[in-house]
Amino acid sequence: MTLDLPLIWAGIIALSVLLYVMLDGFDLGLGILFPFARSPRDRDVMMNTVAPFWDGNETWLVLGGGGLFAAFPVAYAVLMPALYAPVLLMLMALILRGVAFEFRPRGGERGKAFWTAAFAAGSTAAAFAQGLVLGGFIQGVSLDGEAFGGGPLDWLTPYTLLVAVGLVAGYALLGATWLIWRTEDELHGDARRWAWRSAIATAVLLGAVSLATLFVHPQVAARWGFAIGDYDFDRLGLLSPIPLLGLAGLLLIVRGLKRHSHLQPFLGALIVFLSGYIGLAVGFFPDIVPYDLTYREAASEDNALALMLVGVAILLPMIIAYTIWVYWVFRGKVGADAGYH
C-alpha cells in the first residue's frame, strides 16, 4: 500500500496548528487578562501557572510554519506575501512578550511596570495578529498562476477585523478557564468572573463570524450546504455535529462555572476551539490556499515528503511525550509562594 504523503503532511500541519492554538492560546489569554488583575502579586501567580509550558507551546507554531515551508512550498510562497504584515506583527509581538516574560521578574518598580505593560501588549497584539492572519486566510488569496496576485493590504477588511476580535475573546476565555483550573483564592474568583464575560463575548463573536463567513464567502456557504437560493439538507445534517460540538463546549463552560468546577470550564473552552477549527477546515479543505490551490497541487515531490516524514516520525512522538510529561510534572494548583526565577 502506497502512503498518501501529501495528505499525511496536510494532517501533520493541521494538527500542529490546532495544538498551537489550544496550548499557546491560554498563555496568550493570560497576557490579555493581565490588565484586569488586582495586584502585581496576582500577575506573578498568573505568570507562574504557565512558566513551565509557554515556550514549549510555541514549538507547534514552528512545526506548523516549518512544515508548510518544506512540504507545501508553493502554498508558503503564496500565503506569506499575502499576509506579510500581520505575520510580522505576530512575530514581533511574540518576541516582545517573550522578552517581557523573562525580564519582568528582574525589574525594579518601574521596570516591572514597563514589562507588565509589554507582556500585556505583546500578548494582545499577537492574538489580534493571528486573528488577522486567520481572517485573511479564510477570505481567500488572489492567485496569479502559482504566485500571489493581490495587494499588500488585501488582508485588511471588516471581516478579518471581526475574526481578530473574536480570536482575542476566545484566547481570553482559554486564559480565564486555565486560571480557574490552576489557581486559588481571590485570583480563582476573579478568573471565574473573567470566564463568564469572555464566554459571552466568545459565543456572540463566534456566531457573528460564522454568519459573516457564510454571507461573505459563497464557496464556504456552498460547502456547508447553503448554496445561493438552495439548501442541501443532507449536507447540513451530515455537518450538524460540528456546531453541536461547539454548543456542547459552551454548555460545559456554563455548567462548570455554575457548579464551581475547576476543570470543566477549561475543557469546554478547548471543545469550542476544536469545533471552530473543524468547522473552518470543512469550509476550505482540500484547498491549502483558499479557494484555488489544493494541498496536492502545492505539495513537494513524494521523495522529499517521504524523507521529511522519517524525521517527523521520530521527533513528533518525542515532542508529544515531552509535552505530556511536562504538564503532568507541573500539575496542580499554583499558589503565591511558587516561583519562576
Side-chain angles (χ1 to χ4, degrees):
M1 186 177 87
T2 303
L3 294 176
D4 190 342
L5 293 172
L7 181 60
I8 291 172
W9 269 101
I12 290 171
I13 293 172
L15 176 63
S16 300
V17 173
L18 174 62
L19 289 175
Y20 171 75
V21 168
M22 285 185 166
L23 297 180
D24 206 41
F26 69 75
D27 67 61
L28 285 170
L30 294 189
I32 294 169
L33 296 171
F34 236 45
F36 306 104
R38 292 172 183 257
S39 65
R41 186 182 182 186
D42 281 352
R43 295 187 185 98
D44 292 342
V45 175
M46 293 168 71
M47 274 192 158
N48 288 334
T49 65
V50 297
F53 318 115
W54 73 275
D55 46 357
N57 291 341
E58 294 180 355
T59 301
W60 300 106
L61 178 63
V62 176
L63 180 59
L68 181 67
F69 172 76
F72 302 100
V74 177
Y76 186 90
V78 172
L79 290 173
M80 284 304 296
L83 302 169
Y84 265 143
V87 168
L88 289 176
L89 173 61
M90 177 190 72
L91 293 176
M92 289 188 292
L94 289 174
I95 292 170
L96 175 63
R97 74 183 296 270
V99 173
F101 200 106
E102 298 296 338
F103 276 51
R104 181 180 175 275
R106 302 178 184 275
E109 184 176 345
R110 291 184 178 179
K112 196 166 187 176
F114 172 79
W115 291 116
T116 294
F119 183 73
S123 300
T124 306
F128 192 80
Q130 288 176 17
L132 293 175
V133 171
L134 176 61
F137 178 82
I138 298 170
Q139 74 180 7
V141 175
S142 300
L143 287 180
D144 182 8
E146 291 188 344
F148 174 55
L153 295 178
D154 284 0
W155 53 270
L156 185 58
T157 64
Y159 175 79
T160 62
L161 293 174
L162 177 63
V163 174
V165 173
L167 191 62
V168 170
Y171 280 171
L173 175 62
L174 280 175
T177 54
W178 168 265
L179 289 174
I180 291 172
W181 182 27
R182 299 302 305 275
T183 62
E184 49 196 4
D185 301 328
E186 286 186 343
L187 181 55
H188 178 87
D190 289 341
R192 287 191 177 277
R193 286 189 288 274
W194 298 336
W196 275 114
R197 294 166 186 169
S198 56
I200 294 170
T202 300
V204 171
L205 289 166
L206 180 59
V209 169
S210 299
L211 290 175
T213 303
L214 295 177
F215 282 108
V216 173
H217 308 297
Q219 303 96 324
V220 177
R223 293 184 184 188
W224 275 89
F226 294 99
I228 297 176
D230 191 18
Y231 298 97
D232 186 343
F233 291 104
D234 290 338
R235 189 162 183 80
L236 285 170
L238 181 65
L239 297 177
S240 61
I242 299 173
L244 290 177
L245 179 65
L247 179 60
L250 289 171
L251 292 176
L252 186 60
I253 294 170
V254 172
R255 181 177 182 271
L257 291 174
K258 286 185 174 180
R259 297 192 175 189
H260 296 278
S261 170
H262 291 243
L263 181 57
Q264 281 186 13
F266 184 62
L267 294 178
L270 293 178
I271 291 172
V272 170
F273 268 80
L274 177 62
S275 169
Y277 190 79
I278 297 173
L280 290 175
V282 167
F284 60 78
F285 186 82
D287 295 331
I288 196 169
V289 178
Y291 296 87
D292 299 305
L293 186 67
T294 68
Y295 70 92
R296 294 192 187 279
E297 295 169 335
S300 296
E301 297 296 328
D302 279 1
N303 57 352
L305 295 177
L307 180 61
M308 293 186 295
L309 186 61
V310 173
V312 170
I314 297 171
L315 291 177
L316 189 58
M318 294 174 62
I319 296 171
I320 293 174
Y322 173 76
T323 301
I324 293 172
W325 178 76
V326 169
Y327 276 84
W328 173 256
V329 169
F330 293 97
R331 66 191 183 277
K333 295 288 185 179
V334 176
D337 57 338
Y340 174 52
H341 291 85

XYZ file of all heavy atoms in Angstrom, residues 224-290:
516
model
N -21.068 24.118 3.116
C -21.906 23.817 4.271
C -23.353 23.521 3.878
O -24.185 23.246 4.744
C -21.869 24.982 5.261
C -20.701 24.892 6.196
C -19.447 25.389 6.012
C -20.676 24.229 7.458
N -18.645 25.081 7.076
C -19.380 24.370 7.995
C -21.626 23.532 8.202
C -19.002 23.842 9.224
C -21.258 23.001 9.433
C -19.967 23.164 9.927
N -23.648 23.591 2.580
C -24.999 23.279 2.119
C -25.889 24.480 1.945
O -27.104 24.343 1.763
N -25.303 25.702 1.986
C -26.092 26.918 1.831
C -25.805 27.547 0.476
O -25.340 28.684 0.388
C -25.766 27.927 2.935
C -26.172 27.493 4.307
C -25.235 26.943 5.172
C -27.477 27.635 4.738
C -25.592 26.550 6.451
C -27.843 27.240 6.008
C -26.908 26.694 6.867
N -26.045 26.826 -0.594
C -25.867 27.392 -1.929
C -26.893 28.501 -2.154
O -27.981 28.505 -1.557
C -26.011 26.308 -2.992
N -26.531 29.449 -3.015
C -27.412 30.595 -3.263
C -28.763 30.113 -3.783
O -28.847 29.417 -4.789
C -26.769 31.557 -4.286
C -25.461 32.127 -3.712
C -27.739 32.691 -4.644
C -24.708 33.002 -4.692
N -29.830 30.467 -3.064
C -31.180 30.103 -3.463
C -31.540 28.656 -3.218
O -32.597 28.202 -3.666
N -30.698 27.911 -2.520
C -30.973 26.492 -2.322
C -30.309 26.030 -1.024
O -29.378 26.659 -0.526
C -30.452 25.685 -3.499
C -30.949 24.241 -3.480
O -31.935 23.988 -2.767
O -30.348 23.403 -4.172
N -30.822 24.923 -0.485
C -30.260 24.347 0.723
C -30.066 22.845 0.511
O -30.960 22.164 -0.006
C -31.178 24.577 1.924
C -31.395 26.027 2.252
C -32.523 26.699 1.784
C -30.480 26.729 3.015
C -32.734 28.030 2.076
C -30.673 28.062 3.317
C -31.797 28.703 2.836
O -31.986 30.029 3.133
N -28.920 22.359 0.899
C -28.626 20.935 0.834
C -28.809 20.362 2.236
O -27.883 20.377 3.053
C -27.194 20.722 0.325
C -26.874 19.261 0.089
O -27.604 18.393 0.604
O -25.864 18.981 -0.594
N -30.025 19.868 2.517
C -30.327 19.419 3.873
C -29.549 18.167 4.251
O -29.245 17.958 5.425
C -31.837 19.187 4.013
C -32.639 20.445 3.960
C -33.352 20.789 2.808
C -32.673 21.313 5.040
C -34.086 21.958 2.760
C -33.414 22.483 4.998
C -34.113 22.808 3.853
N -29.220 17.344 3.267
C -28.416 16.158 3.575
C -27.027 16.569 4.067
O -26.517 16.004 5.036
C -28.289 15.275 2.332
C -29.601 14.603 1.952
O -30.457 14.470 2.848
O -29.760 14.223 0.777
N -26.434 17.546 3.392
C -25.102 18.016 3.810
C -25.174 18.734 5.149
O -24.290 18.583 6.004
C -24.512 18.934 2.744
C -23.043 19.293 2.992
C -22.387 19.826 1.746
N -20.971 20.093 1.960
C -20.029 19.168 1.940
N -20.341 17.909 1.731
N -18.763 19.497 2.137
N -26.236 19.529 5.333
C -26.411 20.205 6.616
C -26.523 19.199 7.754
O -25.928 19.365 8.828
C -27.657 21.095 6.578
C -27.541 22.405 5.799
C -28.905 23.053 5.648
C -26.564 23.335 6.493
N -27.267 18.133 7.535
C -27.408 17.108 8.562
C -26.104 16.393 8.832
O -25.779 16.080 9.985
N -25.325 16.152 7.765
C -24.046 15.465 7.921
C -23.057 16.293 8.737
O -22.283 15.750 9.533
C -23.468 15.162 6.535
C -22.130 14.414 6.492
C -22.294 13.009 7.071
C -21.601 14.352 5.060
N -23.107 17.624 8.538
C -22.145 18.503 9.209
C -22.663 19.073 10.529
O -21.903 19.730 11.243
C -21.771 19.661 8.277
C -21.069 19.276 6.963
C -20.829 20.512 6.109
C -19.754 18.561 7.236
N -23.916 18.823 10.854
C -24.502 19.398 12.067
C -23.766 19.030 13.358
O -23.784 19.828 14.312
C -25.976 19.008 12.178
O -26.120 17.593 12.267
N -23.107 17.850 13.472
C -22.380 17.560 14.715
C -21.279 18.571 15.040
O -20.915 18.729 16.209
C -21.786 16.166 14.462
C -22.721 15.523 13.497
C -23.161 16.649 12.598
N -20.758 19.278 14.019
C -19.660 20.226 14.279
C -20.147 21.421 15.100
O -19.582 21.709 16.169
C -19.009 20.672 12.957
C -18.425 19.455 12.229
C -17.919 21.706 13.229
C -17.905 19.764 10.842
N -21.184 22.164 14.666
C -21.671 23.250 15.527
C -22.268 22.744 16.836
O -22.186 23.436 17.862
C -22.724 23.961 14.672
C -23.107 22.975 13.626
C -21.886 22.165 13.356
N -22.859 21.550 16.814
C -23.383 20.988 18.063
C -22.262 20.704 19.057
O -22.442 20.841 20.271
C -24.165 19.706 17.774
C -25.501 19.889 17.031
C -26.136 18.536 16.734
C -26.454 20.761 17.855
N -21.085 20.325 18.539
C -19.928 20.132 19.413
C -19.527 21.450 20.074
O -19.222 21.493 21.276
C -18.755 19.570 18.602
C -17.446 19.327 19.364
C -17.625 18.242 20.422
C -16.330 18.945 18.391
N -19.543 22.537 19.293
C -19.241 23.848 19.867
C -20.253 24.257 20.906
O -19.902 24.810 21.965
N -21.541 23.996 20.632
C -22.580 24.304 21.607
C -22.392 23.485 22.877
O -22.561 24.009 23.988
C -23.955 24.029 20.996
C -25.161 24.276 21.894
C -25.215 25.733 22.340
C -26.457 23.882 21.178
N -22.010 22.221 22.723
C -21.749 21.381 23.896
C -20.589 21.940 24.717
O -20.623 21.918 25.955
C -21.441 19.952 23.455
N -19.564 22.475 24.030
C -18.458 23.084 24.750
C -18.886 24.300 25.550
O -18.501 24.464 26.714
N -19.723 25.159 24.946
C -20.222 26.330 25.661
C -21.076 25.926 26.857
O -20.978 26.528 27.939
C -21.026 27.215 24.714
C -20.228 27.983 23.648
C -21.161 28.632 22.642
C -19.334 29.040 24.303
N -21.914 24.912 26.674
C -22.749 24.447 27.780
C -21.895 23.849 28.896
O -22.215 24.008 30.086
C -23.754 23.405 27.277
C -24.842 23.933 26.343
C -25.713 22.794 25.824
C -25.703 24.979 27.051
N -20.805 23.182 28.525
C -19.907 22.635 29.543
C -19.239 23.753 30.330
O -19.047 23.639 31.553
C -18.857 21.749 28.873
C -17.907 20.984 29.807
C -18.691 20.041 30.725
C -16.872 20.212 28.998
N -18.896 24.847 29.650
C -18.326 26.001 30.352
C -19.334 26.558 31.356
O -19.004 26.807 32.526
C -17.916 27.094 29.342
C -16.763 26.610 28.463
C -17.504 28.376 30.079
C -16.468 27.542 27.300
N -20.557 26.778 30.885
C -21.605 27.331 31.758
C -21.858 26.398 32.935
O -21.959 26.838 34.093
C -22.888 27.573 30.957
C -24.039 27.959 31.876
C -22.667 28.657 29.907
N -21.982 25.110 32.657
C -22.227 24.131 33.720
C -21.087 24.123 34.727
O -21.304 24.097 35.950
C -22.402 22.743 33.105
C -22.679 21.618 34.100
C -22.896 20.322 33.345
N -23.214 19.219 34.244
C -22.306 18.436 34.821
N -21.013 18.648 34.593
N -22.680 17.450 35.611
N -19.860 24.153 34.222
C -18.705 24.144 35.115
C -18.626 25.392 35.972
O -18.287 25.321 37.156
N -18.950 26.551 35.378
C -18.909 27.791 36.150
C -20.005 27.811 37.212
O -19.776 28.263 38.346
C -19.048 28.988 35.214
C -17.869 29.252 34.273
C -18.189 30.381 33.308
C -16.604 29.567 35.056
N -21.188 27.328 36.869
C -22.279 27.322 37.839
C -22.013 26.344 38.984
O -22.406 26.608 40.131
C -23.595 26.967 37.143
C -24.158 28.101 36.294
C -25.526 27.725 35.735
C -26.159 28.904 35.011
N -27.498 28.554 34.459
N -21.385 25.228 38.680
C -21.130 24.205 39.699
C -19.766 24.370 40.360
O -19.346 23.509 41.123
C -21.240 22.817 39.078
C -22.638 22.498 38.546
C -22.784 21.043 38.204
N -24.144 20.713 37.800
C -24.592 19.485 37.606
N -23.765 18.443 37.782
N -25.836 19.261 37.238
N -19.074 25.468 40.034
C -17.768 25.764 40.619
C -16.766 24.634 40.362
O -15.916 24.334 41.200
C -17.891 26.040 42.126
C -18.710 27.253 42.428
N -18.195 28.528 42.370
C -20.023 27.390 42.755
C -19.145 29.405 42.660
N -20.267 28.742 42.901
N -16.876 24.031 39.181
C -15.891 23.035 38.771
C -14.582 23.735 38.424
O -14.576 24.861 37.927
C -16.399 22.253 37.557
O -15.387 21.458 37.011
N -13.482 23.075 38.678
C -12.178 23.658 38.391
C -11.698 23.323 36.987
O -11.002 24.132 36.362
C -11.153 23.184 39.419
C -11.375 23.741 40.780
N -10.474 24.557 41.425
C -12.434 23.632 41.626
C -10.948 24.903 42.609
N -12.142 24.352 42.750
N -12.033 22.151 36.477
C -11.507 21.701 35.193
C -12.505 21.817 34.044
O -12.109 22.077 32.909
C -11.042 20.239 35.317
C -10.442 19.589 34.067
C -9.246 20.386 33.556
C -10.043 18.146 34.357
N -13.792 21.655 34.324
C -14.789 21.624 33.252
C -14.785 22.869 32.358
O -14.885 22.746 31.130
C -16.185 21.401 33.831
C -16.480 19.964 34.185
C -17.924 19.766 34.629
O -18.779 20.645 34.462
N -18.208 18.606 35.199
N -14.674 24.083 32.910
C -14.676 25.248 32.014
C -13.526 25.237 31.018
O -13.712 25.602 29.851
C -14.559 26.433 32.992
C -15.143 25.923 34.264
C -14.728 24.489 34.331
N -12.350 24.797 31.454
C -11.209 24.742 30.538
C -11.437 23.703 29.449
O -11.177 23.953 28.267
C -9.933 24.441 31.318
C -8.682 24.461 30.477
C -8.280 25.617 29.827
C -7.903 23.324 30.339
C -7.135 25.642 29.041
C -6.754 23.337 29.560
C -6.366 24.504 28.918
N -11.951 22.532 29.824
C -12.253 21.508 28.830
C -13.300 22.003 27.847
O -13.209 21.760 26.638
C -12.733 20.227 29.522
C -11.715 19.487 30.390
C -12.359 18.270 31.049
C -10.500 19.073 29.566
N -14.310 22.710 28.365
C -15.331 23.260 27.480
C -14.757 24.261 26.495
O -15.130 24.272 25.312
N -13.830 25.108 26.958
C -13.203 26.085 26.066
C -12.401 25.387 24.972
O -12.424 25.800 23.805
C -12.312 27.029 26.867
N -11.694 24.326 25.326
C -10.940 23.567 24.329
C -11.878 22.951 23.291
O -11.566 22.927 22.093
C -10.116 22.467 25.004
C -8.964 22.923 25.897
C -8.279 21.714 26.531
C -7.940 23.738 25.102
N -13.032 22.458 23.736
C -14.004 21.863 22.814
C -14.561 22.920 21.853
O -14.760 22.657 20.664
C -15.140 21.187 23.604
C -14.602 19.949 24.336
C -16.293 20.796 22.688
C -15.596 19.314 25.287
N -14.797 24.119 22.364
C -15.271 25.205 21.497
C -14.251 25.490 20.399
O -14.603 25.633 19.213
C -15.542 26.477 22.321
C -15.787 27.678 21.404
C -16.742 26.279 23.237
N -12.979 25.562 20.766
C -11.937 25.818 19.772
C -11.827 24.656 18.786
O -11.630 24.874 17.584
C -10.599 26.065 20.467
C -10.330 27.510 20.746
C -10.900 28.138 21.834
C -9.526 28.265 19.907
C -10.676 29.480 22.097
C -9.292 29.607 20.147
C -9.864 30.220 21.248
N -11.946 23.438 19.281
C -11.891 22.275 18.392
C -13.036 22.316 17.381
O -12.832 22.066 16.178
C -11.964 20.989 19.218
C -11.995 19.676 18.420
C -10.723 19.514 17.591
C -12.181 18.490 19.367
N -14.226 22.648 17.838
C -15.377 22.740 16.942
C -15.160 23.815 15.882
O -15.418 23.588 14.688
C -16.637 23.056 17.756
O -17.716 23.397 16.920
N -14.688 24.981 16.307
C -14.437 26.054 15.350
C -13.383 25.682 14.328
O -13.503 25.995 13.137
N -12.357 24.989 14.782
C -11.269 24.590 13.891
C -11.762 23.596 12.842
O -11.463 23.731 11.652
C -10.150 23.973 14.725
C -8.864 23.724 13.967
C -7.975 24.763 13.714
C -8.538 22.455 13.506
C -6.786 24.542 13.031
C -7.362 22.226 12.816
C -6.494 23.271 12.585
O -5.330 23.039 11.893
N -12.520 22.602 13.278
C -13.061 21.624 12.338
C -14.020 22.300 11.358
O -14.023 22.011 10.152
C -13.777 20.484 13.084
C -12.787 19.715 13.958
C -14.441 19.530 12.099
C -13.442 18.678 14.853
N -14.835 23.217 11.870
C -15.762 23.925 11.003
C -15.061 24.726 9.923
O -15.490 24.741 8.762
N -13.955 25.385 10.282
C -13.185 26.123 9.283
C -12.583 25.183 8.254
O -12.568 25.475 7.051
C -12.075 26.930 9.971
C -12.533 28.116 10.818
C -11.342 28.746 11.525
C -13.253 29.151 9.970
N -12.071 24.047 8.718
C -11.465 23.080 7.801
C -12.471 22.586 6.775
O -12.148 22.425 5.587
C -10.891 21.909 8.586
N -13.703 22.365 7.214
C -14.755 21.930 6.281
C -14.976 22.986 5.204
O -15.251 22.667 4.039
C -16.059 21.647 7.048
C -17.235 21.500 6.089
C -15.918 20.397 7.898
N -14.816 24.243 5.581
C -15.089 25.327 4.649
C -14.093 25.456 3.520
O -14.449 25.966 2.447
N -12.838 25.016 3.707
C -11.871 25.207 2.629
C -11.122 23.947 2.200
O -10.471 23.941 1.156
C -10.855 26.311 2.979
C -10.036 26.047 4.202
C -8.965 25.173 4.184
C -10.325 26.695 5.386
C -8.203 24.950 5.311
C -9.561 26.483 6.525
C -8.497 25.598 6.482
N -11.176 22.852 2.972
C -10.484 21.638 2.563
C -11.089 21.099 1.261
O -12.319 21.115 1.113
C -10.599 20.577 3.671
C -9.791 19.340 3.408
C -8.444 19.325 3.715
C -10.368 18.216 2.847
C -7.686 18.194 3.461
C -9.622 17.083 2.586
C -8.264 17.074 2.899
N -10.286 20.651 0.293
C -8.851 20.363 0.320
C -7.957 21.518 -0.103
O -6.774 21.310 -0.371
C -8.741 19.219 -0.687
C -9.764 19.559 -1.718
C -10.903 20.180 -0.967
N -8.496 22.732 -0.192
C -7.658 23.873 -0.570
C -6.689 24.205 0.557
O -7.084 24.264 1.725
C -8.526 25.097 -0.869
C -9.407 24.879 -2.083
O -9.004 24.118 -2.968
O -10.507 25.473 -2.137
N -5.454 24.462 0.208
C -4.478 24.929 1.185
C -4.239 26.428 1.017
O -3.745 27.101 1.909
C -3.153 24.141 1.067
C -2.291 24.343 2.316
C -2.391 24.512 -0.200
C -1.108 23.406 2.406
N -4.602 26.959 -0.162
C -4.696 28.403 -0.397
C -6.113 28.645 -0.898
O -6.410 28.419 -2.078
C -3.666 28.894 -1.428
C -3.849 30.393 -1.678
C -2.254 28.598 -0.978
N -7.023 29.011 0.010
C -8.425 29.178 -0.404
C -8.529 30.244 -1.489
O -7.954 31.319 -1.355
C -9.122 29.621 0.870
C -8.217 29.155 1.971
C -6.840 29.281 1.427
